[in-house]
Structure formats: structure tokens, C-alpha cells
Amino acid sequence: MKTAVKARGLTVSYDDCPVVRGVSLDIREGEFLSILGPNGAGKTTLVRALTGIIKDVGGEVLLSGKKLHEYSRREFARSVSFLPQMPPVSLPFVVSDIVMMGRFPYLRRFEMEKPRDAEIVRNAMRLMGIEQYAKRHLMELSGGEVKRVFIAQAVAQESDILFLDEPTAGLDIAYQAEIFKMLRDFNENLGKTIVLVTHDINHAARFAGRIILFKNGSIAEEGKPEDVVNEDTVRSVFSTEVRVEYDNGVPYVLM
């Protein structure tokens, strides 16, 4: 399996305080990877460095074997989508316009969208079950519906790699499970590489193929869920007492 993203010695500091400490990792094409860890571990900073949002980094990040700075913004956006933890809900656009923004990497300056762009946007909204909200503003939607709008934008962007930072944060259990199932579908049926930051270790264990446990700016453990999610490791990373049980071989954590 080819490597989609490669990081070597990745370091990020704020005010001379290291937040990501010499991280090296490979993200494989078609992988569903979840990154978990306690608050302040550096998970979001890591993802922002991997996607080039943070520029002042040490070490090296390669996308399909090419350094990030060698990509134009348009070229990079055709390869990578990023969904932040708190998407902007005050944008003065209706849902269909926001999803259409995913097509900007394919349009020249001042070029109007083409019929194919409109069809891709309709398909993305239909896939996320939000076509009925096409002419509504974000502030009229629930938190779960807003997250689906921005995932639809990422789908419309047609990038091969989706980075998502806490896409289920603040959502009820039904929405959490729904979004994880949708992401698994993108991964399995559309071949998308999914990199997901989450605090939900049980959903990560159920849906992801590989888990990275991140602590103090470094990778504490990584591997398949059944190899990583065990009582000793979870206690060590999260500094709390837990019990791990299994459902058809899938581990789940009880407090």
C-alpha cells in the first residue's frame, strides 16, 4: 500500500514551548486512522502541521512523495480536505453555496461553476442527507447538520485525503454514530484516506483500522484497535482508571 502522507521529525513549538516533538509517521493510502489523546496532547497541532496550515514547523512532511511547499494551493486542495473542529457557522451563505466552495480548486479565477460542479454538489448533499437544507442558512441548522454540511463540502472537493478534527464533538450519540458510519463508507466504498482526531475511543476502536495514541506531543502507542486499546495503555495515556471489554473482538472502554 502506498504512503499518502509521510512525516519525519515533525516538530512544532509555540513561544519556544514544544507542542509536537519530533513525530515521524506514515499514513497509508486508503487508511482510516484515528488520533486520540488527552486534552493538550497536541493532536490538533499535529494535524494542522500535516496539512500545512501551520507553516513554521521543523522536520519534513511529504504528500505523495512531494514536499508540501512544492504544491500550489489549488493543487494541494485537490488532494487534501480539512474539517476543523469548529466550522464557521456565521458564513452569510446558504448550504448549497457552502458545499459548492468545495469546487473552488477546480475553477479558475472568476469562473462560474459548470453543470458538472453542480451535479457533484447535489450528489455530495444527497450522500450526506442534507439536500433538503440546500437553501437554508447554517444558523438555522443543528450542530450535527452543520457538521454534515462541511463534510459534504469536503466530499464535493473530491480530495483523496480527508483530515477531520473532532467532527462529532458536541453531538448526541445518534449523530456521532451516523458520522462515523458515513466516514467508514467513504473509506471503504470511495477509497478515501481518513485521518480523524477524536476523543471517542470506543467509536475509534469500532470504525478505524489504526489508532495513534498521542501524549505530550509524541506518539505513545500506535497499531490496530485490538492491539492498542487495552487497560494498561489507556490508563497510561489518559491517566485514569478504565476497564476494557470486548464485543466480537472489538475493544471498548468502560470508566
Side-chain angles (χ1 to χ4, degrees):
M1 189 178 293
K2 294 182 180 179
T3 300
V5 181
K6 180 190 295 285
R8 291 294 178 267
L10 188 62
T11 299
V12 183
S13 298
Y14 297 134
D15 298 325
D16 296 324
C17 179
V19 178
V20 174
R21 305 168 184 263
V23 170
S24 295
L25 68 92
D26 292 341
I27 300 171
R28 298 180 292 273
E29 289 184 358
E31 181 173 25
F32 192 144
L33 171 67
S34 282
I35 302 173
L36 299 102
N39 290 333
K43 304 181 297 298
T44 294
T45 300
L46 172 64
V47 168
R48 288 177 174 270
L50 291 172
T51 54
I53 294 173
I54 298 174
K55 306 294 185 184
D56 188 13
V57 302
E60 185 175 68
V61 179
L62 302 177
L63 175 65
S64 300
K66 186 175 173 180
K67 295 180 181 179
L68 295 188
H69 73 263
E70 295 175 345
Y71 283 84
S72 68
R73 290 182 63 184
R74 188 183 301 271
E75 183 184 14
F76 184 79
R78 292 178 180 180
S79 299
V80 174
S81 301
F82 174 68
L83 177 66
Q85 182 176 341
M86 299 294 291
V89 296
S90 59
L91 291 173
F93 304 102
V94 297
V95 166
S96 59
D97 290 339
I98 291 169
V99 179
M100 181 61 75
M101 291 175 186
R103 300 303 301 162
F104 285 1
Y106 302 91
L107 301 174
R108 293 188 297 272
R109 192 175 184 183
F110 303 124
E111 181 182 16
M112 296 295 293
E113 61 268 16
K114 297 177 286 294
R116 181 176 181 275
D117 299 307
E119 180 61 24
I120 288 170
V121 166
R122 283 193 295 271
N123 286 338
M125 290 193 295
R126 186 161 49 246
L127 189 64
M128 296 306 300
I130 58 169
E131 61 270 36
Q132 68 272 31
Y133 307 135
K135 298 306 177 185
R136 293 176 62 178
H137 289 269
L138 288 182
M139 288 181 287
E140 302 175 50
L141 306 181
S142 70
E145 290 160 353
V146 168
K147 293 289 179 71
R148 284 195 283 169
V149 169
F150 282 95
I151 295 175
Q153 183 190 85
V155 171
Q157 196 170 323
E158 292 190 313
S159 56
D160 294 324
I161 309 171
L162 277 68
F163 285 87
L164 305 102
D165 188 5
E166 291 282 359
T168 60
L171 304 184
D172 64 32
I173 294 174
Y175 270 129
Q176 291 175 25
E178 181 179 283
I179 286 177
F180 268 94
K181 289 174 182 176
M182 288 176 176
L183 293 175
R184 183 175 62 184
D185 183 64
F186 297 157
N187 174 249
E188 293 181 349
N189 298 323
L190 301 180
K192 302 292 185 183
T193 302
I194 306 293
V195 182
L196 171 71
V197 172
T198 181
H199 279 103
D200 194 324
I201 194 168
N202 290 330
H203 275 122
R206 180 181 175 191
F207 292 100
R210 181 164 63 119
I211 285 176
I212 286 177
L213 294 179
F214 209 63
K215 184 178 182 180
N216 295 330
S218 301
I219 296 174
E221 290 287 345
E222 64 175 306
K224 295 180 180 179
E226 58 268 29
D227 296 329
V228 171
V229 181
N230 57 71
E231 291 176 356
D232 289 341
T233 300
V234 174
R235 285 170 183 160
S236 173
V237 171
F238 291 92
S239 301
T240 189
E241 288 296 318
V242 298
R243 187 170 84 252
V244 175
E245 297 190 358
Y246 294 85
D247 179 17
N248 293 322
V250 177
Y252 63 96
V253 175
L254 298 172
M255 302 299 292

